[in-house]
Every structure is written in C-alpha cells, then in structure tokens.
Amino acid sequence: MRKPIIIGNWKMNMQIADGLVFLNDLEKESYNIDVGIACQAISLIPMKEQAKKVLIGAQNTNDELNGAYTGELSVDLLKEAELDFCLVGHSERRQYYNESDETVNKKIKLLLEKQITPVVCVGESLEQYENKQTKEVIEKQIELALQDVDVKNCVIAYEPIWAIGTGKTATPEIAQSVCRLIRKKIASLTSVEIANKVRIQYGGSVNPENIKELMACEDIDGALVGGASLKINDFKKLISY
Ligand code: PEP
C-alpha cells in the first residue's frame, strides 16, 4: 500500500510571513497522506522550523557538493536545514536552465546520500505529445535519471509540460497510462516488487475539481501542484480529496 503524497510547488511566489501563515493554517488539520510544500530557498529554514506535520522541501539543488558555483544551493545545506525532499528536474529548470538528464541523475544521487527524498520530475512537451513520442521521451528520462539510483527512496512526478500552468489537465486516462508506463519502466530497471513501492505523482493543472478522479487512478499516488497550492482554501480542499 503506497501512502499518497501531495506536494505544493510555490515556485518563485510567496513571501516568508505569508508562507508561515499558510503553513500554520495547513497544520490545524490532520491528514492521513503525506503533504509537502516546496518553497523558495530563504523560506526553507523558517518553514521547516515551524512545520510539525507538513514536509518541507527545496525546489532545486546543485549537482556538485560544494565549490565555486555562485548562486547555487548545496545538498549539504539542505541536509543541515533538515529538509524532507527536493524537487529535481522540474520542467521549468530543464527548459530555462538547461538541466539535463545527466545532472538530474547526479542530483538524485547526492540527495539520496544525504537521506533527502528526490522528487524526480519527468514529462513530455506539447510537440512530443502531439507527435506521439510520450512513451519514448518518458522512458528515456526515467532510464537516464535513475541510472544506478536506489529508486525505492525516490518519488516520481509525471508532469506533461503541456499541462503545467496551462489549465489543461491530462485526462485521468492519459495520466494513468503514463504513470503505469513509468512503473513498468522502473520494474524493468529494478523489479516489480520495487516498482510497486515507488510513489508516482501526477502534476499539471491539478485543482480541487479534478483531484479526486486523478487520485482514483491505480498508478497515481499523489500530485505535484503549482497554481492551486498558492491558495490555502484550494490546497486544503485538494489534500482532503
Ligand atoms: C508544477 O509547477 O509542477 C505544476 C504542476 O504547476 P500547475 O499545477 O500550476 O500546472
């Protein structure tokens, strides 16, 4: 039985004080799923210090442990801040900062060494989707990202780029079929037993109206949520789907 996990990705939004008020509100209720927030670097420490139930994670880390990488954030600091998870390979990072499958793989390994859960994002572009390349693109991303990785300690997020921030959600059928494909690919790289333990999220315009149908899918164990995680009432509705 896989425990569902819903993570809000605040991206480059939310001031520190507003984030703490949001977190306080979120923590007033109990949930029997894992709930997480990925916030901006400067908010991580106050958020983690205040969080009692909600998991707190970074949106990115560097693929080197330390050194002359101005402006970057090391895995060691994430560990020192006692963070629970870190997003890796979000499509916005792949698209705007040229993040490759190879750097994604390096980041995952560094995070696992420090016992921080990598939330590994994969997803195809609109063009690839329209050209029916989804299977090939996703399988390649999974294979390269998870090379020599202990995948049972990772969370995978399937986020079709064409559904992120666009209001276009993949239908539950599409989302389920790609999440199923990811699980099968993981099984072929490891074993069915391990693949059945890995939690796979769907992300892309998830909202309080569509969450229930998505979460009802056999291979979808959670959601990575952008826009709808910025409004407390929407996010609360989402996590109590
Ligand atoms: C995301 O950024 O991971 C995301 C899924 O965004 P949105 O929910 O806004 O589409």
Side-chain angles (χ1 to χ4, degrees), residues 9 11 87 90-92 121 159 163-167 202-207 224-229:
N9 173 17
K11 311 193 186 191
L87 306 186
H90 190 280
S91 62
E92 286 152 16
C121 305
E159 297 207 302
I164 297 180
T166 58
Y202 165 77
S205 298
V206 175
N207 60 45
L224 184 54
V225 186
S229 73

Side-chain angles (χ1 to χ4, degrees), residues 136-200:
E136 158 192 350
V137 170
I138 299 295
E139 285 189 341
K140 186 159 174 252
Q141 285 179 343
I142 289 289
E143 192 167 342
L144 295 175
L146 300 183
Q147 216 158 42
D148 304 319
V149 159
D150 189 3
V151 62
K152 69 177 182 303
N153 294 322
C154 298
V155 171
I156 311 293
Y158 166 55
E159 297 207 302
I161 299 170
W162 48 269
I164 297 180
T166 58
K168 282 187 205 162
T169 325
T171 61
E173 292 71 31
I174 296 174
Q176 160 59 24
S177 78
V178 182
C179 290
R180 178 90 201 125
L181 173 88
I182 292 171
R183 200 174 303 286
K184 276 193 176 164
K185 183 67 190 172
I186 294 172
S188 79
L189 296 171
T190 58
S191 67
V192 172
E193 199 194 344
I194 290 177
N196 283 338
K197 287 191 177 137
V198 176
R199 293 185 292 178
I200 304 176

Side-chain angles (χ1 to χ4, degrees), residues 28 34-35 54 56 61 75 96 109 131 151-152 155-156 161 163:
K28 283 183 187 150
D34 282 337
V35 174
V54 174
I56 303 296
T61 187
V75 168
Y96 306 138
K109 286 178 180 160
N131 289 335
V151 62
K152 69 177 182 303
V155 171
I156 311 293
I161 299 170

Side-chain angles (χ1 to χ4, degrees), residues 73-99:
L73 186 60
S74 73
V75 168
D76 272 338
L77 274 196
L78 303 189
K79 182 68 186 170
E80 205 175 333
E82 299 179 8
L83 298 184
D84 303 293
F85 68 90
C86 179
L87 306 186
V88 185
H90 190 280
S91 62
E92 286 152 16
R93 298 229 38 106
R94 293 181 190 254
Q95 195 178 344
Y96 306 138
Y97 304 98
N98 299 322
E99 212 158 280

